[in-house]
Structures are given as structure tokens and as C-alpha cells.
Amino acid sequence: MPDIAEDGRTWVLSGPAASYAVHVTEGGELLHLHWGPRITPADAVALAARPLPACRPFESPLDGREEYPVEGGPRFVRPALSLRTGTRRGTEWTYEGHESGDGELRLHFRDGGLAITLHYRMRPSTDVVERWVTLDNHGPAVEVLRADSATWTLPDRDSWRLSRLHGRWGAESRLTRSELTHGEEVIGSRRGHTSHQHLPWVALDSGAGEESGEVYGCALGWSGSWRIAVALLPDARVQITGGAGYDDSGLLLLGPGESYTTPVFAGLWTDGGFGGASRAWHAYQRAYVIPDAGRDRPVLFNSWEATGFDISERQQRALAERAAALGVELFVVDDGWFGARTGDGAGLGDWTPNPDRFPDGLAPLAAHVHALGMQFGIWVEPEMVNPDSDLYRAHPDWVQYQPGRKRTEFRNQLVLNLAREDVRQYLWEQLDGLLSSAPVDYVKWDFNRCFTDAGWPQDPYPQRLWVDHVRGLYALLDRLRAAHPQVAFESCSGGGGRIDLGVLGRTDQVWTSDNTDPLDRLAIQYGFSQIHPARVMAAWVTDSPNAMFNHRTSSLKFRFVSAMAGVLGVGGDLTRWSEEGLAQARDWVALYKQIRPLVQRGDLYRLRPPQGGLSAVQYVLGDETVVLAWLQAQRFGEPAPALRLRGLNPTETYECPETGEVHRGAVLLHHGLRVDLRGDLDAAVVRLKRK
Ligand code: DGJ
């Protein structure tokens, strides 16, 4: 519950280690006071008493100090809120009061008929502050040009470093760190989905290491276009502003009586370094974002790399039999089972089984898979349509389009306009019918192209499509989950194109990347782990050489140990694996099941980054720990260093159940664990249990 100071205008939200404090001045300005280690309300009042800088004609005393800078008045920073009412732009708000309850603080402001509420929530046992804003319009129509979820303000430090996750298709979530210089760094997506190019997350530090030092992190829960701007202001203050939409050219038109709620922008402070920040984010997501995160995800098989579009019931049955023999628990039929979908040129939109491939529908295959002791899953891409489909022929106006303009048909497909009620209703009926027609346990929900010609000719304010598409997607997922609670969902967008706290609130795992090369994956997984837990990070073992990406040849061991760092899956053509390979795979799957609780629910320690030689991660849960180590290439005269473990008790001893070797905790922590890795692309799994 937020604490309120005696002055009645200063609030402090506190978690186990962190506090966040804001203050409304006598003049009604909402100022940021503190984000960092725990403080008391009295400390916050003392901070509030510090005078603002003097007012000078070329500087604003408010800049860099406000919680949520609105447009207008003596402000020169990027506005978080930009509105237009008739011909008037900007906001002049007055403070109306506060409310608190259910762990949430609400600060109410008003500008004419528009009520603006800033929401703050610190979830129990976490140091994550969730922030969002609601606009309730009781006056004439207001055009919301921009409504960010929050502006975060950092304390004064000598310098700041910005971490971000950039990438592209097949090479997502690459971590980069660079010094922040005066001006702005802007990341985001203007593609209509979260994007492969940036994850909506930043971290700021002023000299942290992997296991120590202050780290501030911010992550947005939104699966459409978005923007996070990090500004180093002239007086060296840093502000981070983020929300839905990339440009400021208009988000929504709020008619009288209408409301808008921004997505949540979550912030975390820790002094536990980058590793501590990741563990705090992971714990928060497992506790408050990911549905049913206490339940471990099954080992899956996915048919995509094995069979592509060329699928049949007989061939899928054969794959299922081999997968079951490996110990796979969930069998997923990927693209190609529906409509006229024999390639990427047709069928999207027609969500009924292809009669030549599945003459009796999916139920017989689902029954066979269940009889083999596995769950049954299918692939869908509901937001898309091929022009060559019955759906498009019946409803050509259901797609996003700009009349009289050329349109982009990436992968021969168009984006359906989910802002339309009739489109959402159609998809609901199709998907609800599909999930009722066969015992489906799992849906891989794909999204394989960006928005390009995002028009909506019949609507008076077509711009809203960008936001309403995402809200439509969320509503559809929520409705399907409520109607089919036994079905788990995977978020996929050509791999990792839609991974964020918004979609993770309604899906059970994500497809991390289409790139299944086990070495490339180490870098992708390293970046992914900065913010998201292994519990949602799907990773498949596929064939070698890796035909889809870089043709690299790697051992089954290396491929398995790479994929075992997340939710293990198998995606190779098992009908072509040797008996020896299948036997080895069975052993790896069995080992994964033993370490799965640690990987999926444990604390992650990144022991060494995947740069060049030896890299490793460690998971700790209760009395057990497991180390996954990978050697990229060994050079003579450069022995692999010992891995200094983390999260152990120095006074305890730990035993490896496979070898019986016993290690002292203090030795593992200080001198490290020696792992015998040789040659190129070698890997190892070392389990240790407290004696
Ligand atoms: C892109 C996904 O990332 C792949 O795994 C696969 O599902 C294809 N789409 C199918 O078209």
C-alpha cells in the first residue's frame, strides 16, 4: 500500500528493496522525487523541500523534474501527453486529489472536461513499479495525439550507459550498451507489432556489472507500434518516456463519454547489477504477468522445419510416433493444415482443415497424438488473410488498405482489420469452432508481416486502427482463453517479432526466433534473458547442418544443451534421424525433464556472455543448481576458465548426482567449477545438489 506523508501531497511506494516517491506542489505541479533504495515518507518530504532551480527565460525549472510532462507551458522536454481539442493544443491540468487501494495509487487531474489519472502500482514482494494513465473524456471530442504511459526520471549521476535489445528477423534481441550523450535516443516500432528490431525495454546504469551496481530498467506492455525515448537533458538529468504508437501524429479521437487507458510501462530499480535486474524482472513476470507460470511447460515437437507446408496426416502421425518415443509431451502441427494452404500463396483466413490432407478433420490426428501420451497443438495466423482465400473473396474490405494506393503483399498476405467488430466476431467464431472441433491443447499464434498500408476507408478516424488492432487482438485472446481454459497459447511473429509484457499476459510462451542455429541462439537467448524468463523462451533442437539459416554443423549435444536453456522443443525431421541420434535425444529429453523446474522456475545467473570462447548460465532453485556451458572454439594455450558459480551457500557442500563428485560451496563461489570442454562447439550440463 502506498505511504502518504503528513503533508498529504507526497506519496511513497515501496517494495522489498526499492522505493518510488512523487509529490504534488502547492502550485499543483506533479514532481518526481525519488526512485532508488527504500526511503521513508519523511525522507520524501525532505526531498520535496529542496527548492527547484531558479526560473530563467531560456530554461524551464520543471524540465527533468516532472512525473508526466504534458504539452504546453514552460516545458521543453518531450511531452508525454499531447492533446488537441478543436483548434487548441496542449494541456493545463489541475490536481484534483488522490485515491489509493488494492496496492494502487491514483492521482487525479483535470483539464476542462477531461479527467486524467496517473496510476502507480508496486506488486507485492517485487520492486517493479507499474505505471499507466487513463483519460476519461466528459467534454467535447479530444484528439489524443500522444499519450505515453509514463515518464521515468533518474537521479543525478556523472554519466549514464544505455542498454537495449536490437535485432532483425532471425537475429533478435542482441544486447548493446553505449554511453548516453546529450540529446535523445529513441527506439521503437512503427510496424504495427512489437517487432524483431527492438524489444520494448531499456536499462540505464552508471557503472554496474553483472552482479553489482545500480540498474534502472523500463519495459512496456504493448504489442503494437511503440516508442521509448531516453533523453539526457541539458542539466544532465535523464528521463525515459514511453508508450503506444511511434509517431505523434494522432492515436485516437476521444468522443464525449469515451476513455482511453494506456498500456503499462513498468520500471525496476536494483543495486544487484544486470543479473539482479534480470532475476527481478523474471520473478515479477512469473508472479504477475505470465498466466499459470508455476506450471512447467512441456517439451514440444513442432513440424515446421521438418515438413514445411508439405504435410499430410500420415506423415504427421509418423513424426508424432517418433516424437513420443523421445519423451516429447506436446506435438504441434505447424503451417499447412488448413484451407488451400499448400504454400504461402493461399489459404490464410480459411481456418478449416484441408480436405485432401485431413479428410476427417484434425480430430483423428489429435486422437492419435493423445493416444501416444502427448498433447496436441496447431498453428494459426488469425490476423492475416491471403488474397487467394475464401475469406478475402467474401470480404475484401476486411483488410487494412488505402483506397487508390498500391498495397504491399509481404509473404502474399494482407493484414485483417481487427479494429472492426465484424472481423473480431468472425475470428472468434472460427477459432472457437476450431478449438471445439478437435481436442486441441495448444495454439501457436503467428503474425508474419508488418503493417504497411494501414488504412480504414470507412472510419472517420482511421488512425485508431493502430491501437484498436492490438486491443482487438488482446480481447480475442482473452475471450478464447476464458472459453477454452485448457488451451495454452504461444506468441510467434516470424520468431520473436511479438514479445512484450502485454502479450505475455495472455500467452504461455513465445517463439524466440526462427533462427534455430544453436550458436546463434546463445546470443539471442542472452539478450532475451535480460528481461524475460526461460519459462517462456521456446527453443528447438533442429537438424544439422542448419539448412534454414547458416548451414552450420553442430553436434546433437550442442544443439540440445543450447535449447535446454529455455522451454525445450524438438523441430528436426525425426524420420531421418539415426537410431543412435534418437537414442541420444531420448536421454537429453530425460535430462531436461530433471532440470526443467530449475530452468523454468529457478533464478538465472549469467556466468559468462556468449562472446567467442566459453559461455555459461546457471539456474538455482532450492537445494539444486544446474550449469549449462558452451564452448564455441578452443584455442591451444587458452584453457577454458573455471566458472565461478552464484547463488550457493558457501558453507554447504554440493554433490553432482551423475558423477558423485562433491564440491564445497565456498570453492565453487570463489574458485569456480571446472568443466571439461574441448574442440569446437562442445557443451555440458552439470547438476549439483546440496548434500
Ligand atoms: C513463422 C514462424 O516463426 C515459423 O516457426 C513457422 O510457424 C512459419 N511462420 C509458418 O509459416
Side-chain angles (χ1 to χ4, degrees), residues 304 334-335 379 411 444 446 448 492 494-495 511 514 540:
W304 176 243
D334 208 280
D335 204 346
W379 177 97
R411 214 189 190 209
K444 174 178 174 181
D446 209 342
N448 278 304
C492 173
W511 183 218
D514 273 349
W540 309 340

Side-chain angles (χ1 to χ4, degrees), residues 66-73 75 77-85 89-93 109-111 114-118 133-136 142-151 227 241-243 248 251-252 254 260-262:
E66 285 188 297
E67 266 296 280
Y68 192 70
V70 297
E71 187 181 25
R75 302 176 175 96
V77 293
R78 180 184 279 280
L81 185 66
S82 178
L83 305 173
R84 183 161 52 201
T85 314
R89 252 183 101 135
T91 301
E92 234 174 54
W93 62 1
F109 296 82
R110 178 171 287 276
D111 181 10
L114 185 71
I116 303 162
T117 305
L118 271 58
V133 173
T134 49
L135 306 175
D136 296 294
V142 178
E143 188 182 5
V144 181
L145 299 168
R146 178 98 203 151
D148 278 309
S149 302
T151 293
R227 185 181 70 201
T241 299
D248 299 343
L251 202 64
L252 290 164
L254 271 192
Y260 172 62
T261 301
T262 71

Side-chain angles (χ1 to χ4, degrees), residues 460-474:
Y461 196 78
Q463 183 69 17
R464 74 184 172 98
L465 167 158
W466 293 81
V467 166
D468 283 351
H469 184 102
V470 181
R471 300 207 282 202
L473 164 72
Y474 287 173

